[in-house]
Amino acid sequence: LGPSHPSSLAASNGLAHFLQAQGRLSEAEALYRNILEAFERLLGPRSTETLTAINNLAALLDDRGQLDEAEPLYRRALAGCEEKLGPDHPSTIQSVSN
């Protein structure tokens, strides 16, 4: 399939979650950034996959205490969810809770 195929990116996301849970935050951050870049390039900035990738990166940065970097990403994910899915969609509500 190749490293930029959506299925490969989904598998990479699983690995990034694992690394984050293991405290290997630098490795997880690099993966999350690559995943986000690939989804933006392949599917555009407002795809649900891209919005999820934005939120995942924001959560990792939040975990690292990098709140100045995390906040604009959280806001971007929320704005994208509200625009694409509407304010009452579960994904939008989840973004609000972040």
Side-chain angles (χ1 to χ4, degrees):
L1 299 174
S4 293
H5 189 277
S7 294
S8 298
L9 294 170
S12 293
N13 192 64
L15 176 58
H17 281 298
F18 173 80
L19 292 170
Q20 184 175 358
Q22 293 294 310
R24 296 164 63 182
L25 302 182
S26 294
E27 292 173 81
E29 181 179 346
L31 270 176
Y32 282 135
R33 288 187 186 279
N34 289 338
I35 293 163
L36 173 55
E37 179 184 310
F39 275 136
E40 283 181 317
R41 186 177 63 252
L42 294 170
L43 304 175
R46 295 288 192 220
S47 75
T48 54
E49 293 86 350
T50 300
L51 297 172
T52 298
I54 293 167
N55 199 67
N56 289 343
L57 177 57
L60 177 124
L61 294 170
D62 191 348
D63 285 351
R64 293 184 86 170
Q66 296 172 254
L67 304 181
D68 289 343
E69 280 188 77
E71 182 181 359
L73 291 172
Y74 278 138
R75 290 183 182 280
R76 182 175 160 201
L78 175 59
C81 286
E82 286 176 334
E83 179 183 304
K84 184 165 181 86
L85 305 172
D88 297 325
H89 190 277
S91 293
T92 304
I93 294 167
Q94 177 64 36
S95 289
V96 169
S97 72
N98 291 331

Coordinates of all heavy atoms in Angstrom, one line a residue:
L1 N 0.8 -1.2 0.0 CA 0.0 0.0 0.0 C 0.8 1.3 0.0 O 0.4 2.3 -0.6 CB -0.9 0.0 1.2 CG -1.9 -1.1 1.3 CD1 -2.7 -1.0 2.6 CD2 -2.9 -1.1 0.2
G2 N 2.0 1.2 0.7 CA 2.8 2.4 0.8 C 2.6 3.2 2.0 O 1.5 3.2 2.6
P3 N 3.6 4.0 2.4 CA 3.6 4.7 3.7 C 2.5 5.8 3.7 O 2.1 6.2 4.8 CB 5.0 5.2 3.9 CG 5.5 5.3 2.5 CD 4.9 4.2 1.7
S4 N 2.1 6.3 2.6 CA 1.1 7.4 2.6 C -0.3 7.0 2.3 O -1.2 7.8 2.2 CB 1.5 8.5 1.5 OG 2.7 9.1 1.8
H5 N -0.5 5.7 2.2 CA -1.9 5.2 2.0 C -2.6 5.4 3.4 O -2.1 5.2 4.4 CB -1.8 3.7 1.7 CG -3.2 3.1 1.3 ND1 -4.1 2.7 2.2 CD2 -3.7 2.9 0.1 CE1 -5.2 2.3 1.6 NE2 -5.0 2.4 0.3
P6 N -3.9 5.8 3.3 CA -4.7 6.0 4.5 C -4.7 4.8 5.5 O -4.6 5.0 6.7 CB -6.1 6.2 4.0 CG -5.9 6.9 2.7 CD -4.7 6.2 2.1
S7 N -4.6 3.6 5.0 CA -4.5 2.4 5.9 C -3.2 2.4 6.6 O -3.1 2.1 7.8 CB -4.8 1.1 5.2 OG -6.1 1.1 4.7
S8 N -2.1 2.7 5.9 CA -0.8 2.8 6.5 C -0.7 3.9 7.6 O -0.1 3.8 8.6 CB 0.3 3.0 5.5 OG 0.3 1.9 4.6
L9 N -1.4 5.0 7.2 CA -1.4 6.2 8.2 C -2.2 5.8 9.4 O -1.8 6.2 10.5 CB -1.9 7.4 7.5 CG -1.1 8.0 6.4 CD1 -1.8 9.0 5.6 CD2 0.3 8.5 6.9
A10 N -3.3 5.1 9.2 CA -4.0 4.6 10.4 C -3.2 3.7 11.3 O -3.2 3.8 12.5 CB -5.3 3.9 10.0
A11 N -2.4 2.8 10.7 CA -1.5 1.9 11.5 C -0.5 2.8 12.2 O -0.1 2.5 13.4 CB -0.9 0.9 10.6
S12 N 0.1 3.8 11.5 CA 1.1 4.7 12.1 C 0.5 5.4 13.3 O 1.1 5.6 14.3 CB 1.6 5.7 11.1 OG 2.3 5.0 10.1
N13 N -0.8 5.8 13.2 CA -1.5 6.5 14.3 C -1.6 5.6 15.5 O -1.4 6.0 16.6 CB -2.9 6.9 13.8 CG -3.5 7.9 14.8 OD1 -3.0 9.0 15.0 ND2 -4.6 7.5 15.4
G14 N -1.9 4.3 15.3 CA -1.9 3.3 16.4 C -0.6 3.2 17.1 O -0.5 3.2 18.3
L15 N 0.5 3.2 16.3 CA 1.8 3.1 16.8 C 2.1 4.4 17.6 O 2.7 4.4 18.7 CB 2.9 3.0 15.7 CG 4.3 3.0 16.2 CD1 4.6 1.9 17.2 CD2 5.3 2.8 15.0
A16 N 1.7 5.6 17.1 CA 2.0 6.8 17.8 C 1.2 6.8 19.1 O 1.8 7.3 20.1 CB 1.5 8.0 16.9
H17 N 0.0 6.3 19.2 CA -0.7 6.2 20.4 C 0.0 5.4 21.4 O 0.1 5.7 22.6 CB -2.1 5.7 20.2 CG -3.1 6.6 19.7 ND1 -3.5 7.8 20.4 CD2 -3.9 6.6 18.6 CE1 -4.4 8.4 19.7 NE2 -4.7 7.7 18.6
F18 N 0.5 4.2 20.9 CA 1.3 3.3 21.8 C 2.5 4.0 22.4 O 2.8 3.9 23.5 CB 1.7 2.1 21.0 CG 2.6 1.1 21.7 CD1 2.1 0.3 22.7 CD2 3.9 1.1 21.5 CE1 2.9 -0.6 23.4 CE2 4.8 0.3 22.2 CZ 4.3 -0.6 23.1
L19 N 3.3 4.7 21.5 CA 4.5 5.4 21.9 C 4.1 6.4 23.0 O 4.9 6.6 23.9 CB 5.2 6.0 20.7 CG 5.8 5.0 19.7 CD1 6.3 5.7 18.5 CD2 6.9 4.2 20.4
Q20 N 3.0 7.1 22.7 CA 2.6 8.2 23.7 C 2.3 7.5 25.0 O 2.7 8.1 26.1 CB 1.4 8.9 23.1 CG 1.0 10.1 24.0 CD -0.1 10.9 23.3 OE1 -0.6 10.6 22.2 NE2 -0.6 11.9 24.1
A21 N 1.6 6.4 25.0 CA 1.2 5.8 26.3 C 2.5 5.3 27.0 O 2.5 5.2 28.2 CB 0.3 4.6 26.0
Q22 N 3.5 4.9 26.2 CA 4.8 4.4 26.8 C 5.7 5.6 27.3 O 6.8 5.3 27.8 CB 5.5 3.6 25.8 CG 4.8 2.3 25.4 CD 4.8 1.4 26.6 OE1 5.8 1.1 27.2 NE2 3.6 0.8 26.9
G23 N 5.3 6.8 27.0 CA 6.1 8.0 27.4 C 7.2 8.3 26.5 O 8.0 9.1 26.7
R24 N 7.1 7.7 25.3 CA 8.1 8.0 24.2 C 7.6 9.1 23.4 O 7.2 9.0 22.2 CB 8.4 6.7 23.5 CG 9.0 5.7 24.4 CD 9.0 4.3 23.8 NE 9.7 4.1 22.6 CZ 9.8 3.0 21.9 NH1 9.2 1.9 22.4 NH2 10.5 2.9 20.8
L25 N 7.5 10.3 24.0 CA 6.7 11.4 23.4 C 7.4 12.0 22.2 O 6.7 12.5 21.3 CB 6.5 12.5 24.5 CG 5.7 12.0 25.7 CD1 5.4 13.1 26.7 CD2 4.4 11.3 25.3
S26 N 8.7 12.1 22.2 CA 9.4 12.6 21.0 C 9.1 11.8 19.7 O 8.9 12.3 18.7 CB 10.9 12.7 21.2 OG 11.1 13.7 22.2
E27 N 9.2 10.4 19.9 CA 8.9 9.5 18.8 C 7.5 9.7 18.4 O 7.2 9.7 17.2 CB 9.2 8.1 19.2 CG 10.7 7.8 19.4 CD 10.8 6.4 20.0 OE1 10.8 5.4 19.2 OE2 11.0 6.3 21.2
A28 N 6.6 9.7 19.3 CA 5.1 9.9 19.0 C 4.9 11.2 18.3 O 4.1 11.2 17.3 CB 4.3 9.8 20.3
E29 N 5.5 12.2 18.8 CA 5.3 13.5 18.1 C 5.7 13.5 16.7 O 5.0 14.0 15.8 CB 6.0 14.6 18.9 CG 5.8 16.0 18.3 CD 6.5 17.1 19.0 OE1 7.0 16.9 20.1 OE2 6.6 18.2 18.4
A30 N 6.8 12.9 16.4 CA 7.3 12.9 15.0 C 6.3 12.1 14.1 O 6.0 12.5 13.0 CB 8.7 12.2 15.0
L31 N 5.8 11.0 14.6 CA 4.8 10.2 13.9 C 3.6 11.0 13.7 O 3.0 11.1 12.5 CB 4.5 8.9 14.6 CG 5.3 7.7 14.3 CD1 4.9 6.6 15.1 CD2 5.2 7.4 12.8
Y32 N 3.0 11.7 14.7 CA 1.8 12.5 14.6 C 2.0 13.6 13.6 O 1.1 13.9 12.8 CB 1.4 13.1 15.9 CG 0.7 12.1 16.9 CD1 1.1 12.1 18.2 CD2 -0.3 11.3 16.5 CE1 0.4 11.2 19.1 CE2 -0.9 10.4 17.4 CZ -0.6 10.4 18.7 OH -1.2 9.6 19.6
R33 N 3.2 14.2 13.6 CA 3.4 15.3 12.6 C 3.4 14.8 11.2 O 2.9 15.4 10.3 CB 4.7 16.1 13.0 CG 4.5 16.9 14.2 CD 5.7 17.8 14.4 NE 5.6 18.5 15.7 CZ 4.9 19.7 15.9 NH1 4.3 20.2 14.9 NH2 4.9 20.2 17.1
N34 N 4.1 13.6 11.0 CA 4.1 13.0 9.6 C 2.7 12.6 9.2 O 2.3 12.8 8.0 CB 5.0 11.8 9.6 CG 6.5 12.2 9.7 OD1 6.9 13.3 9.4 ND2 7.3 11.2 10.2
I35 N 1.9 12.0 10.1 CA 0.6 11.6 9.8 C -0.3 12.8 9.4 O -1.0 12.8 8.4 CB -0.1 10.9 11.0 CG1 0.7 9.5 11.2 CG2 -1.6 10.7 10.8 CD1 0.4 8.9 12.6
L36 N -0.2 13.9 10.2 CA -0.9 15.1 9.9 C -0.6 15.7 8.5 O -1.4 16.0 7.7 CB -0.7 16.2 10.9 CG -1.3 17.5 10.7 CD1 -2.8 17.5 10.4 CD2 -1.0 18.4 11.9
E37 N 0.7 15.8 8.2 CA 1.2 16.3 6.9 C 0.7 15.4 5.8 O 0.2 16.0 4.8 CB 2.7 16.3 6.9 CG 3.3 16.8 5.6 CD 4.8 16.7 5.6 OE1 5.4 17.2 6.6 OE2 5.4 16.2 4.7
A38 N 0.7 14.1 5.9 CA 0.3 13.2 4.9 C -1.2 13.4 4.6 O -1.7 13.4 3.5 CB 0.6 11.8 5.2
F39 N -2.0 13.4 5.7 CA -3.5 13.5 5.6 C -3.8 14.9 4.9 O -4.7 14.9 4.1 CB -4.2 13.3 6.9 CG -4.5 11.9 7.2 CD1 -4.3 11.4 8.5 CD2 -5.0 11.0 6.3 CE1 -4.6 10.1 8.9 CE2 -5.3 9.7 6.6 CZ -5.1 9.2 7.9
E40 N -3.2 15.9 5.3 CA -3.4 17.2 4.7 C -3.2 17.2 3.2 O -3.9 17.7 2.4 CB -2.6 18.3 5.4 CG -3.1 18.7 6.7 CD -2.3 19.8 7.4 OE1 -1.1 19.8 7.3 OE2 -2.9 20.8 7.9
R41 N -2.0 16.6 2.9 CA -1.7 16.5 1.4 C -2.6 15.6 0.7 O -3.0 16.0 -0.5 CB -0.2 16.0 1.4 CG 0.4 16.0 0.0 CD 1.8 15.5 -0.1 NE 2.0 14.1 0.4 CZ 2.5 13.7 1.5 NH1 2.9 14.6 2.4 NH2 2.6 12.4 1.8
L42 N -3.0 14.5 1.2 CA -3.8 13.5 0.5 C -5.3 13.8 0.5 O -6.0 13.7 -0.5 CB -3.6 12.1 1.1 CG -2.3 11.5 1.0 CD1 -2.2 10.2 1.9 CD2 -2.0 11.1 -0.5
L43 N -5.8 14.3 1.6 CA -7.2 14.4 1.8 C -7.7 15.9 2.0 O -8.9 16.1 2.0 CB -7.7 13.6 3.0 CG -7.3 12.1 2.9 CD1 -7.8 11.3 4.1 CD2 -8.0 11.4 1.6
G44 N -6.8 16.8 2.2 CA -7.2 18.2 2.5 C -7.2 18.5 3.9 O -7.3 17.7 4.8
P45 N -7.3 19.8 4.2 CA -7.2 20.3 5.6 C -8.5 20.1 6.4 O -8.5 20.2 7.6 CB -6.9 21.8 5.5 CG -7.5 22.1 4.1 CD -7.3 20.9 3.3
R46 N -9.6 19.8 5.7 CA -10.9 19.6 6.5 C -11.4 18.2 6.5 O -12.6 18.0 6.9 CB -11.9 20.6 5.9 CG -11.6 22.0 6.0 CD -11.8 22.4 7.5 NE -11.8 23.9 7.6 CZ -11.2 24.5 8.6 NH1 -10.6 23.9 9.5 NH2 -11.3 25.8 8.6
S47 N -10.6 17.2 6.0 CA -11.1 15.9 6.1 C -11.2 15.4 7.6 O -10.5 15.9 8.4 CB -10.2 14.9 5.3 OG -9.0 14.7 6.0
T48 N -12.1 14.5 7.8 CA -12.2 14.0 9.2 C -10.9 13.4 9.7 O -10.5 13.5 10.9 CB -13.3 13.0 9.4 OG1 -13.2 12.0 8.4 CG2 -14.7 13.7 9.2
E49 N -10.2 12.7 8.8 CA -8.9 12.1 9.2 C -7.9 13.2 9.5 O -7.1 13.0 10.5 CB -8.3 11.3 8.0 CG -9.2 10.0 7.7 CD -10.3 10.3 6.8 OE1 -10.7 11.4 6.5 OE2 -10.9 9.3 6.3
T50 N -7.8 14.3 8.8 CA -6.9 15.4 9.1 C -7.3 16.0 10.4 O -6.4 16.3 11.2 CB -6.9 16.4 7.9 OG1 -6.5 15.8 6.7 CG2 -6.0 17.6 8.2
L51 N -8.6 16.2 10.6 CA -9.0 16.9 11.9 C -8.7 16.0 13.1 O -8.2 16.5 14.1 CB -10.5 17.2 11.8 CG -10.9 18.2 10.8 CD1 -12.5 18.2 10.7 CD2 -10.3 19.5 11.0
T52 N -8.8 14.7 12.9 CA -8.4 13.8 14.0 C -6.9 13.8 14.2 O -6.5 13.8 15.4 CB -8.9 12.3 13.7 OG1 -10.3 12.3 13.6 CG2 -8.4 11.3 14.7
A53 N -6.1 13.9 13.2 CA -4.7 14.0 13.3 C -4.3 15.3 14.0 O -3.3 15.3 14.8 CB -4.0 13.9 11.9
I54 N -5.0 16.4 13.7 CA -4.7 17.6 14.4 C -4.9 17.5 15.9 O -4.1 17.9 16.7 CB -5.5 18.8 13.8 CG1 -5.1 19.1 12.3 CG2 -5.5 20.0 14.6 CD1 -6.1 19.9 11.6
N55 N -6.1 16.9 16.2 CA -6.4 16.7 17.6 C -5.5 15.8 18.3 O -5.1 16.1 19.5 CB -7.9 16.2 17.7 CG -8.5 16.4 19.0 OD1 -8.7 17.6 19.4 ND2 -8.7 15.4 19.8
N56 N -5.0 14.8 17.7 CA -4.1 13.8 18.3 C -2.7 14.5 18.6 O -2.2 14.4 19.7 CB -3.8 12.6 17.4 CG -5.0 11.7 17.3 OD1 -5.9 11.7 18.2 ND2 -5.0 10.8 16.3
L57 N -2.3 15.3 17.6 CA -1.0 16.1 17.9 C -1.2 17.1 19.0 O -0.3 17.2 19.9 CB -0.6 16.8 16.6 CG 0.7 17.6 16.7 CD1 1.9 16.8 17.2 CD2 1.0 18.3 15.4
A58 N -2.3 17.8 19.0 CA -2.6 18.7 20.1 C -2.6 18.0 21.4 O -2.0 18.6 22.4 CB -4.0 19.4 19.8
A59 N -3.2 16.9 21.5 CA -3.3 16.2 22.8 C -1.9 15.8 23.3 O -1.5 15.9 24.5 CB -4.1 14.9 22.7
L60 N -1.0 15.3 22.3 CA 0.3 15.0 22.7 C 1.1 16.2 23.2 O 1.8 16.2 24.2 CB 1.1 14.4 21.5 CG 2.6 14.1 21.9 CD1 2.9 12.6 21.7 CD2 3.5 15.0 21.1
L61 N 1.0 17.3 22.5 CA 1.6 18.6 22.9 C 1.1 19.0 24.3 O 1.9 19.5 25.1 CB 1.4 19.7 21.9 CG 2.1 19.4 20.5 CD1 1.7 20.4 19.5 CD2 3.6 19.4 20.7
D62 N -0.2 18.9 24.5 CA -0.8 19.2 25.8 C -0.1 18.3 26.9 O 0.2 18.8 27.9 CB -2.3 18.9 25.7 CG -3.1 19.4 26.9 OD1 -2.5 19.8 27.9 OD2 -4.3 19.4 26.7
D63 N 0.0 17.0 26.6 CA 0.7 16.1 27.6 C 2.1 16.5 27.9 O 2.6 16.3 29.0 CB 0.7 14.7 27.0 CG -0.6 13.9 27.1 OD1 -1.6 14.5 27.7 OD2 -0.7 12.8 26.5
R64 N 2.7 17.1 26.9 CA 4.1 17.5 27.1 C 4.2 18.9 27.8 O 5.3 19.4 28.0 CB 4.9 17.6 25.7 CG 5.1 16.3 25.1 CD 5.8 16.4 23.8 NE 7.3 16.4 24.2 CZ 8.2 16.3 23.3 NH1 8.0 16.2 22.1 NH2 9.5 16.2 23.8
G65 N 3.1 19.5 28.0 CA 3.0 20.8 28.6 C 3.3 22.0 27.6 O 3.5 23.1 28.1
Q66 N 3.2 21.7 26.4 CA 3.5 22.7 25.3 C 2.1 23.3 24.9 O 1.6 23.2 23.8 CB 4.2 22.0 24.1 CG 5.5 21.5 24.4 CD 6.2 20.8 23.3 OE1 6.2 19.5 23.4 NE2 6.6 21.4 22.3
L67 N 1.5 24.0 25.9 CA 0.2 24.5 25.7 C 0.1 25.6 24.7 O -1.0 25.7 24.0 CB -0.4 25.0 27.1 CG -0.3 24.0 28.2 CD1 -0.9 24.6 29.5 CD2 -1.1 22.7 27.8
D68 N 1.1 26.4 24.5 CA 1.1 27.4 23.5 C 1.0 26.8 22.1 O 0.5 27.5 21.1 CB 2.3 28.3 23.6 CG 2.3 29.2 24.8 OD1 1.2 29.4 25.4 OD2 3.3 29.8 25.2
E69 N 1.6 25.6 21.9 CA 1.5 24.9 20.6 C 0.2 24.1 20.5 O -0.4 24.0 19.4 CB 2.6 24.0 20.4 CG 3.9 24.6 20.0 CD 5.0 23.6 19.6 OE1 4.9 23.0 18.5 OE2 5.9 23.4 20.5
A70 N -0.3 23.6 21.6 CA -1.5 22.7 21.6 C -2.7 23.5 21.3 O -3.6 23.1 20.6 CB -1.6 22.0 22.9
E71 N -2.9 24.7 22.0 CA -4.1 25.4 21.9 C -4.6 25.8 20.5 O -5.7 25.5 20.1 CB -4.1 26.7 22.7 CG -5.4 27.5 22.7 CD -5.4 28.8 23.5 OE1 -4.3 29.1 24.1 OE2 -6.4 29.4 23.5
P72 N -3.7 26.3 19.6 CA -4.1 26.6 18.3 C -4.5 25.4 17.5 O -5.4 25.5 16.6 CB -3.0 27.4 17.6 CG -1.8 27.3 18.5 CD -2.3 26.8 19.9
L73 N -3.9 24.3 17.8 CA -4.3 23.0 17.1 C -5.7 22.6 17.5 O -6.5 22.1 16.7 CB -3.2 22.0 17.3 CG -1.9 22.2 16.6 CD1 -0.9 21.2 17.1 CD2 -2.0 22.2 15.1
Y74 N -5.9 22.6 18.9 CA -7.2 22.3 19.4 C -8.3 23.2 18.7 O -9.4 22.7 18.3 CB -7.3 22.5 20.9 CG -6.7 21.3 21.7 CD1 -6.0 21.6 22.8 CD2 -7.1 20.0 21.4 CE1 -5.5 20.6 23.6 CE2 -6.6 19.0 22.2 CZ -5.8 19.3 23.3 OH -5.3 18.2 24.1
R75 N -8.0 24.5 18.6 CA -9.0 25.4 18.1 C -9.2 25.1 16.6 O -10.3 25.2 16.1 CB -8.5 26.9 18.2 CG -8.6 27.3 19.7 CD -8.2 28.8 19.8 NE -8.2 29.2 21.2 CZ -9.3 29.6 21.9 NH1 -10.5 29.5 21.3 NH2 -9.2 30.0 23.1
R76 N -8.1 24.8 15.9 CA -8.3 24.4 14.5 C -9.1 23.2 14.3 O -10.0 23.1 13.4 CB -6.9 24.2 13.9 CG -6.8 23.9 12.4 CD -5.4 23.8 11.9 NE -5.3 23.1 10.7 CZ -4.2 22.5 10.2 NH1 -3.1 22.6 10.9 NH2 -4.2 21.9 9.1
A77 N -8.9 22.2 15.1 CA -9.7 20.9 15.0 C -11.1 21.2 15.3 O -12.0 20.7 14.6 CB -9.1 19.9 16.0
L78 N -11.4 22.0 16.3 CA -12.7 22.3 16.7 C -13.4 23.1 15.6 O -14.6 22.7 15.2 CB -12.8 23.2 18.0 CG -14.1 23.7 18.4 CD1 -15.1 22.6 18.6 CD2 -14.0 24.6 19.6
A79 N -12.8 24.1 15.0 CA -13.4 24.9 13.9 C -13.7 24.0 12.7 O -14.7 24.1 12.1 CB -12.5 26.0 13.5
G80 N -12.8 23.1 12.4 CA -13.0 22.2 11.3 C -14.1 21.2 11.5 O -15.0 21.0 10.6
C81 N -14.3 20.7 12.8 CA -15.4 19.8 13.1 C -16.7 20.6 13.0 O -17.7 20.0 12.5 CB -15.2 19.2 14.5 SG -13.9 17.9 14.5
E82 N -16.7 21.8 13.6 CA -18.0 22.5 13.6 C -18.4 22.8 12.1 O -19.6 22.7 11.8 CB -17.8 23.8 14.3 CG -17.8 23.7 15.8 CD -17.5 25.0 16.6 OE1 -16.9 25.9 16.0 OE2 -17.9 25.0 17.7
E83 N -17.4 23.2 11.3 CA -17.7 23.5 9.9 C -18.2 22.2 9.1 O -19.1 22.3 8.4 CB -16.5 24.1 9.2 CG -16.7 24.4 7.8 CD -15.4 24.9 7.2 OE1 -14.8 25.9 7.7 OE2 -14.9 24.3 6.2
K84 N -17.4 21.1 9.3 CA -17.7 19.9 8.5 C -18.8 19.1 9.0 O -19.6 18.5 8.3 CB -16.4 19.1 8.4 CG -16.6 17.9 7.5 CD -15.2 17.3 7.1 CE -15.4 16.1 6.2 NZ -15.5 16.4 4.8
L85 N -18.9 19.0 10.3 CA -19.8 18.0 10.9 C -21.0 18.7 11.7 O -22.0 18.0 11.9 CB -19.1 17.1 11.9 CG -17.8 16.4 11.4 CD1 -17.1 15.7 12.5 CD2 -18.3 15.4 10.3
G86 N -20.9 19.9 12.0 CA -21.9 20.6 12.8 C -21.6 20.6 14.2 O -20.9 19.8 14.7
P87 N -22.2 21.5 15.0 CA -21.9 21.7 16.4 C -22.4 20.5 17.3 O -21.9 20.4 18.4 CB -22.6 23.0 16.8 CG -23.7 23.1 15.8 CD -23.2 22.5 14.5
D88 N -23.4 19.7 16.8 CA -23.9 18.7 17.7 C -23.4 17.3 17.4 O -23.8 16.3 18.0 CB -25.4 18.6 17.5 CG -26.1 19.9 18.0 OD1 -25.6 20.5 19.0 OD2 -27.1 20.4 17.4
H89 N -22.4 17.2 16.5 CA -21.8 15.9 16.1 C -20.9 15.4 17.3 O -20.3 16.3 17.9 CB -21.0 16.0 14.8 CG -20.6 14.7 14.3 ND1 -19.5 14.1 14.7 CD2 -21.1 13.9 13.3 CE1 -19.3 12.9 14.1 NE2 -20.3 12.8 13.2
P90 N -20.9 14.1 17.6 CA -20.0 13.6 18.7 C -18.6 14.0 18.5 O -17.9 14.3 19.5 CB -20.2 12.1 18.6 CG -21.6 11.9 18.0 CD -21.7 13.1 17.0
S91 N -18.0 14.1 17.3 CA -16.6 14.5 17.2 C -16.4 15.9 17.5 O -15.4 16.3 18.1 CB -16.2 14.2 15.7 OG -16.1 12.8 15.5
T92 N -17.4 16.8 17.2 CA -17.3 18.2 17.5 C -17.4 18.4 19.1 O -16.6 19.1 19.6 CB -18.5 19.0 16.9 OG1 -18.4 18.8 15.5 CG2 -18.4 20.5 17.2
I93 N -18.3 17.6 19.7 CA -18.5 17.7 21.1 C -17.2 17.2 21.8 O -16.7 17.9 22.8 CB -19.7 16.9 21.6 CG1 -21.0 17.6 21.0 CG2 -19.7 16.8 23.1 CD1 -22.2 16.8 21.1
Q94 N -16.6 16.2 21.3 CA -15.3 15.7 21.8 C -14.2 16.8 21.7 O -13.4 17.0 22.6 CB -14.8 14.4 21.1 CG -13.5 13.9 21.6 CD -13.4 13.5 23.0 OE1 -14.4 12.9 23.5 NE2 -12.3 13.7 23.7
S95 N -14.2 17.5 20.6 CA -13.2 18.6 20.4 C -13.4 19.7 21.4 O -12.5 20.3 21.9 CB -13.3 19.1 18.9 OG -12.8 18.2 18.0
V96 N -14.7 20.0 21.7 CA -15.0 21.1 22.6 C -14.5 20.7 24.0 O -13.9 21.5 24.7 CB -16.5 21.3 22.7 CG1 -16.9 22.2 23.9 CG2 -17.0 21.9 21.4
S97 N -14.5 19.4 24.3 CA -14.1 18.9 25.7 C -12.6 19.0 25.8 O -12.1 19.0 27.0 CB -14.6 17.5 26.0 OG -13.9 16.6 25.2
N98 N -11.9 19.1 24.7 CA -10.4 19.2 24.8 C -10.1 20.7 25.1 O -9.0 21.0 25.5 CB -9.7 18.8 23.5 CG -9.9 17.3 23.3 OD1 -10.0 16.5 24.2 ND2 -9.9 16.9 22.0

